[in-house]
Amino acid sequence: MSAVSSVTHHETTYDRRRLRQWLAGEARADGVTRRRLLTLLAATAAGTAFPLTAPAHAADPPIVKPLPPEWFIQRGTNAETRWEALRGTGYHTPNELFFVRNHTATPVLDAADWRLTLWGDGLRGTPGEENPVEFGYDDLRALPAVTRTAFVECAGNGRSYYTTQQGDTVAGTPWTLGAVGVARWRGVLLADVLRRAGLSSYAVDIQPRGLDAEYVSGGESLGRVRRPLPLAKALNDVLLAYEMNGEPLPYDHGYPVRVLVPSWVGIASIKWVGDIEVSAQPLFSPWNTTFYRLFGHAYPEEGSAPLTRQTIKSAFELASGATFPAGEGQVLHGRSWSGAGAIARVDVSTDGGTSWRPARLHDRPRSGAWTRWSLPWTPDTSGSTHLLARATDTTGRTQPDTAISNTQGYLFNAVVRHPVTVV
Ligand SMILES: Nc1nc2c(c(=O)[nH]1)N[C@H]1C(S)=C(S)[C@@H](COP(=O)(O)O)O[C@H]1N2
Ligand SMILES: [Mo]
């Protein structure tokens, strides 16, 4: 289901009012082109039932890069990478194949006009709206550069298996396992930028915010995408990245600059970052209260603590329902990753979970990224079966048979049953 097609009457009224406010200079619309707003306003003025869907969608698709169906499954404003498309692509996910998760739509920004603003009472001298600390694109480029290979993975990756394997009812985009990618990110340490901005010893949280449009949910604007990050993580290994796999960040992945929070759920890695609040008090946003906590029978009423590290998963570089000729030697390939540590071992079953063999690991263990593996297989009897892979990381976490359900279907970690047919 596409987010644009789910616009309700309530949202329509709200948007019309907001557009009028924008025209009157009473609403901010950072990251939305004037052209786009004028198109929307024209539709309103025409006195129609405000057909937001058609003009906005036709003129401005939510994702800029091509999404050939052999590489991607389109899911509303998002695009999921097909695992079979990763076969033979090497360790890093090519930029063209990397999944996209957009709350609204990719804003096409210009690095020359872009500014990163730091403000808040966690900075010395409390820079406010009149005296913010600003960095331009070239300012960041002039700081010492660091490179880091890391996955970005949506907290909801694998969500559909809560339903298909466990019969749980969960809300959200029904990803299979393709809402993850690994890239070589280059940029500056957020710690460097914070220190140059005058980080005070009272700071506890920072909150980066994207320049994409405000996110409207249930007829209410939640503002622009933003999520608090504890200072301890911000100072540890977080990047302000301007390159992805040796190229400037593609538009869809945050051009000109995104936050990259290694090992954490994807929402922490704010794209198109425009400002960072530095706060002496803990911060809240919908993205660490309503969303990205665990709710459900296994969790307290107010939900779990905000999600931080990713869980552990494995995937085969194969289409769902792939077919294999009986009696022919094959090599199965896949990848496993964990937010807690490096992958220590992977066990694979080619008979629906009855017997298991250890896979050969192809990459030196590293945390925050995946390990490729393979296993030879000669299918004998024809018919349908399931391939299963179970990873264990260096901290001893392993994939269970069943994941503990939560209402929004985050952090699916159970072994996935991958259907195949031997013919
Ligand atoms: N500004 C902004 N940042 C964002 C998002 C967004 O919609 N807007 N989506 C987040 C989510 S939920 C995920 S999983 C990752 C996805 O990154 P990618 O699209 O580069 O794969 O970006 C995160 N950063
Ligand atoms: Mo996400």
PDB file of all heavy atoms in Angstrom, residues 118-133 197-198 200 202 278 280:
ATOM      1  N   LEU A 118      24.003  23.813  14.110  1.00  0.00           N
ATOM      2  CA  LEU A 118      24.001  23.209  15.450  1.00  0.00           C
ATOM      3  C   LEU A 118      23.534  24.249  16.446  1.00  0.00           C
ATOM      4  O   LEU A 118      23.954  25.410  16.382  1.00  0.00           O
ATOM      5  CB  LEU A 118      25.397  22.697  15.820  1.00  0.00           C
ATOM      6  CG  LEU A 118      25.783  21.434  15.060  1.00  0.00           C
ATOM      7  CD1 LEU A 118      26.664  21.764  13.883  1.00  0.00           C
ATOM      8  CD2 LEU A 118      26.458  20.435  15.969  1.00  0.00           C
ATOM      9  N   TRP A 119      22.637  23.829  17.323  1.00  0.00           N
ATOM     10  CA  TRP A 119      22.034  24.774  18.268  1.00  0.00           C
ATOM     11  C   TRP A 119      21.604  24.014  19.510  1.00  0.00           C
ATOM     12  O   TRP A 119      21.561  22.787  19.516  1.00  0.00           O
ATOM     13  CB  TRP A 119      20.822  25.473  17.620  1.00  0.00           C
ATOM     14  CG  TRP A 119      19.767  24.518  17.143  1.00  0.00           C
ATOM     15  CD1 TRP A 119      19.794  23.785  15.990  1.00  0.00           C
ATOM     16  CD2 TRP A 119      18.561  24.160  17.816  1.00  0.00           C
ATOM     17  NE1 TRP A 119      18.676  23.000  15.896  1.00  0.00           N
ATOM     18  CE2 TRP A 119      17.895  23.218  17.003  1.00  0.00           C
ATOM     19  CE3 TRP A 119      17.974  24.560  19.024  1.00  0.00           C
ATOM     20  CZ2 TRP A 119      16.666  22.651  17.364  1.00  0.00           C
ATOM     21  CZ3 TRP A 119      16.750  23.997  19.373  1.00  0.00           C
ATOM     22  CH2 TRP A 119      16.107  23.056  18.547  1.00  0.00           C
ATOM     23  N   GLY A 120      21.292  24.776  20.574  1.00  0.00           N
ATOM     24  CA  GLY A 120      20.750  24.141  21.772  1.00  0.00           C
ATOM     25  C   GLY A 120      21.581  24.418  23.009  1.00  0.00           C
ATOM     26  O   GLY A 120      22.729  24.872  22.930  1.00  0.00           O
ATOM     27  N   ASP A 121      20.993  24.113  24.163  1.00  0.00           N
ATOM     28  CA  ASP A 121      21.630  24.458  25.437  1.00  0.00           C
ATOM     29  C   ASP A 121      22.717  23.473  25.852  1.00  0.00           C
ATOM     30  O   ASP A 121      23.282  23.591  26.936  1.00  0.00           O
ATOM     31  CB  ASP A 121      20.574  24.632  26.544  1.00  0.00           C
ATOM     32  CG  ASP A 121      19.779  23.351  26.804  1.00  0.00           C
ATOM     33  OD1 ASP A 121      20.123  22.300  26.205  1.00  0.00           O
ATOM     34  OD2 ASP A 121      18.820  23.404  27.598  1.00  0.00           O
ATOM     35  N   GLY A 122      23.031  22.531  24.966  1.00  0.00           N
ATOM     36  CA  GLY A 122      24.163  21.638  25.226  1.00  0.00           C
ATOM     37  C   GLY A 122      25.434  22.146  24.561  1.00  0.00           C
ATOM     38  O   GLY A 122      26.459  21.467  24.567  1.00  0.00           O
ATOM     39  N   LEU A 123      25.347  23.352  23.986  1.00  0.00           N
ATOM     40  CA  LEU A 123      26.542  23.977  23.415  1.00  0.00           C
ATOM     41  C   LEU A 123      26.944  25.147  24.298  1.00  0.00           C
ATOM     42  O   LEU A 123      26.089  25.819  24.870  1.00  0.00           O
ATOM     43  CB  LEU A 123      26.272  24.479  21.990  1.00  0.00           C
ATOM     44  CG  LEU A 123      26.018  23.405  20.942  1.00  0.00           C
ATOM     45  CD1 LEU A 123      25.680  24.045  19.594  1.00  0.00           C
ATOM     46  CD2 LEU A 123      27.214  22.477  20.798  1.00  0.00           C
ATOM     47  N   ARG A 124      28.231  25.395  24.397  1.00  0.00           N
ATOM     48  CA  ARG A 124      28.696  26.522  25.219  1.00  0.00           C
ATOM     49  C   ARG A 124      28.206  27.827  24.591  1.00  0.00           C
ATOM     50  O   ARG A 124      28.254  27.996  23.383  1.00  0.00           O
ATOM     51  CB  ARG A 124      30.231  26.526  25.285  1.00  0.00           C
ATOM     52  CG  ARG A 124      30.781  25.426  26.181  1.00  0.00           C
ATOM     53  CD  ARG A 124      32.222  25.725  26.593  1.00  0.00           C
ATOM     54  NE  ARG A 124      33.100  25.825  25.431  1.00  0.00           N
ATOM     55  CZ  ARG A 124      33.676  24.764  24.829  1.00  0.00           C
ATOM     56  NH1 ARG A 124      33.474  23.546  25.294  1.00  0.00           N
ATOM     57  NH2 ARG A 124      34.458  24.951  23.797  1.00  0.00           N
ATOM     58  N   GLY A 125      27.678  28.731  25.424  1.00  0.00           N
ATOM     59  CA  GLY A 125      27.159  29.997  24.913  1.00  0.00           C
ATOM     60  C   GLY A 125      25.766  29.838  24.337  1.00  0.00           C
ATOM     61  O   GLY A 125      25.180  30.792  23.840  1.00  0.00           O
ATOM     62  N   THR A 126      25.208  28.597  24.415  1.00  0.00           N
ATOM     63  CA  THR A 126      23.850  28.311  23.961  1.00  0.00           C
ATOM     64  C   THR A 126      23.486  28.998  22.651  1.00  0.00           C
ATOM     65  O   THR A 126      22.628  29.880  22.610  1.00  0.00           O
ATOM     66  CB  THR A 126      22.832  28.696  25.063  1.00  0.00           C
ATOM     67  OG1 THR A 126      23.271  28.140  26.277  1.00  0.00           O
ATOM     68  CG2 THR A 126      21.446  28.151  24.759  1.00  0.00           C
ATOM     69  N   PRO A 127      24.133  28.599  21.545  1.00  0.00           N
ATOM     70  CA  PRO A 127      23.751  29.193  20.267  1.00  0.00           C
ATOM     71  C   PRO A 127      22.273  28.946  19.985  1.00  0.00           C
ATOM     72  O   PRO A 127      21.803  27.821  20.089  1.00  0.00           O
ATOM     73  CB  PRO A 127      24.629  28.454  19.252  1.00  0.00           C
ATOM     74  CG  PRO A 127      25.752  27.885  20.051  1.00  0.00           C
ATOM     75  CD  PRO A 127      25.169  27.578  21.396  1.00  0.00           C
ATOM     76  N   GLY A 128      21.544  29.996  19.715  1.00  0.00           N
ATOM     77  CA  GLY A 128      20.109  29.876  19.444  1.00  0.00           C
ATOM     78  C   GLY A 128      19.828  30.227  18.010  1.00  0.00           C
ATOM     79  O   GLY A 128      20.706  30.094  17.156  1.00  0.00           O
ATOM     80  N   GLU A 129      18.611  30.688  17.769  1.00  0.00           N
ATOM     81  CA  GLU A 129      18.246  30.958  16.387  1.00  0.00           C
ATOM     82  C   GLU A 129      19.027  32.127  15.796  1.00  0.00           C
ATOM     83  O   GLU A 129      19.234  32.197  14.599  1.00  0.00           O
ATOM     84  CB  GLU A 129      16.736  31.192  16.285  1.00  0.00           C
ATOM     85  CG  GLU A 129      16.000  29.869  16.236  1.00  0.00           C
ATOM     86  CD  GLU A 129      14.506  30.035  16.067  1.00  0.00           C
ATOM     87  OE1 GLU A 129      14.096  31.002  15.419  1.00  0.00           O
ATOM     88  OE2 GLU A 129      13.764  29.184  16.586  1.00  0.00           O
ATOM     89  N   GLU A 130      19.448  33.098  16.662  1.00  0.00           N
ATOM     90  CA  GLU A 130      20.148  34.274  16.117  1.00  0.00           C
ATOM     91  C   GLU A 130      21.633  33.987  15.887  1.00  0.00           C
ATOM     92  O   GLU A 130      22.250  34.636  15.064  1.00  0.00           O
ATOM     93  CB  GLU A 130      20.024  35.488  17.048  1.00  0.00           C
ATOM     94  CG  GLU A 130      18.607  35.875  17.432  1.00  0.00           C
ATOM     95  CD  GLU A 130      18.071  35.033  18.573  1.00  0.00           C
ATOM     96  OE1 GLU A 130      18.774  34.956  19.605  1.00  0.00           O
ATOM     97  OE2 GLU A 130      17.005  34.418  18.425  1.00  0.00           O
ATOM     98  N   ASN A 131      22.192  33.081  16.671  1.00  0.00           N
ATOM     99  CA  ASN A 131      23.634  32.845  16.533  1.00  0.00           C
ATOM    100  C   ASN A 131      23.974  31.359  16.458  1.00  0.00           C
ATOM    101  O   ASN A 131      24.707  30.837  17.287  1.00  0.00           O
ATOM    102  CB  ASN A 131      24.392  33.503  17.700  1.00  0.00           C
ATOM    103  CG  ASN A 131      23.934  32.957  19.044  1.00  0.00           C
ATOM    104  OD1 ASN A 131      22.808  32.493  19.174  1.00  0.00           O
ATOM    105  ND2 ASN A 131      24.814  32.962  20.025  1.00  0.00           N
ATOM    106  N   PRO A 132      23.412  30.656  15.503  1.00  0.00           N
ATOM    107  CA  PRO A 132      23.705  29.223  15.424  1.00  0.00           C
ATOM    108  C   PRO A 132      25.139  28.991  14.951  1.00  0.00           C
ATOM    109  O   PRO A 132      25.758  29.881  14.379  1.00  0.00           O
ATOM    110  CB  PRO A 132      22.713  28.718  14.379  1.00  0.00           C
ATOM    111  CG  PRO A 132      22.500  29.887  13.484  1.00  0.00           C
ATOM    112  CD  PRO A 132      22.615  31.109  14.356  1.00  0.00           C
ATOM    113  N   VAL A 133      25.628  27.799  15.211  1.00  0.00           N
ATOM    114  CA  VAL A 133      26.912  27.401  14.649  1.00  0.00           C
ATOM    115  C   VAL A 133      26.615  26.712  13.323  1.00  0.00           C
ATOM    116  O   VAL A 133      25.763  25.817  13.269  1.00  0.00           O
ATOM    117  CB  VAL A 133      27.638  26.428  15.604  1.00  0.00           C
ATOM    118  CG1 VAL A 133      29.011  26.065  15.068  1.00  0.00           C
ATOM    119  CG2 VAL A 133      27.736  27.019  16.998  1.00  0.00           C
ATOM    120  N   ALA A 197      31.866  22.827  17.481  1.00  0.00           N
ATOM    121  CA  ALA A 197      30.701  23.691  17.720  1.00  0.00           C
ATOM    122  C   ALA A 197      30.653  24.173  19.165  1.00  0.00           C
ATOM    123  O   ALA A 197      29.827  25.021  19.500  1.00  0.00           O
ATOM    124  CB  ALA A 197      29.421  22.930  17.368  1.00  0.00           C
ATOM    125  N   GLY A 198      31.508  23.633  20.028  1.00  0.00           N
ATOM    126  CA  GLY A 198      31.535  24.081  21.419  1.00  0.00           C
ATOM    127  C   GLY A 198      30.681  23.237  22.342  1.00  0.00           C
ATOM    128  O   GLY A 198      29.911  23.760  23.157  1.00  0.00           O
ATOM    129  N   SER A 200      29.228  21.449  25.328  1.00  0.00           N
ATOM    130  CA  SER A 200      29.395  21.720  26.757  1.00  0.00           C
ATOM    131  C   SER A 200      29.399  20.404  27.532  1.00  0.00           C
ATOM    132  O   SER A 200      28.935  19.377  27.039  1.00  0.00           O
ATOM    133  CB  SER A 200      28.275  22.646  27.264  1.00  0.00           C
ATOM    134  OG  SER A 200      27.339  21.918  28.032  1.00  0.00           O
ATOM    135  N   TYR A 202      27.547  19.721  29.836  1.00  0.00           N
ATOM    136  CA  TYR A 202      26.182  19.404  30.278  1.00  0.00           C
ATOM    137  C   TYR A 202      25.373  18.655  29.222  1.00  0.00           C
ATOM    138  O   TYR A 202      24.265  18.209  29.488  1.00  0.00           O
ATOM    139  CB  TYR A 202      25.428  20.696  30.645  1.00  0.00           C
ATOM    140  CG  TYR A 202      26.080  21.437  31.780  1.00  0.00           C
ATOM    141  CD1 TYR A 202      26.725  22.657  31.549  1.00  0.00           C
ATOM    142  CD2 TYR A 202      26.076  20.917  33.069  1.00  0.00           C
ATOM    143  CE1 TYR A 202      27.342  23.340  32.589  1.00  0.00           C
ATOM    144  CE2 TYR A 202      26.696  21.595  34.110  1.00  0.00           C
ATOM    145  CZ  TYR A 202      27.328  22.801  33.858  1.00  0.00           C
ATOM    146  OH  TYR A 202      27.942  23.458  34.892  1.00  0.00           O
ATOM    147  N   VAL A 278      21.630  20.158  20.197  1.00  0.00           N
ATOM    148  CA  VAL A 278      22.500  19.593  21.227  1.00  0.00           C
ATOM    149  C   VAL A 278      21.886  20.019  22.550  1.00  0.00           C
ATOM    150  O   VAL A 278      21.753  21.207  22.826  1.00  0.00           O
ATOM    151  CB  VAL A 278      23.948  20.121  21.089  1.00  0.00           C
ATOM    152  CG1 VAL A 278      24.857  19.442  22.101  1.00  0.00           C
ATOM    153  CG2 VAL A 278      24.462  19.904  19.663  1.00  0.00           C
ATOM    154  N   ALA A 280      20.990  19.777  26.811  1.00  0.00           N
ATOM    155  CA  ALA A 280      21.405  19.450  28.178  1.00  0.00           C
ATOM    156  C   ALA A 280      20.328  18.635  28.893  1.00  0.00           C
ATOM    157  O   ALA A 280      20.535  18.180  30.016  1.00  0.00           O
ATOM    158  CB  ALA A 280      21.721  20.733  28.950  1.00  0.00           C
TER     159      ALA A 280
END
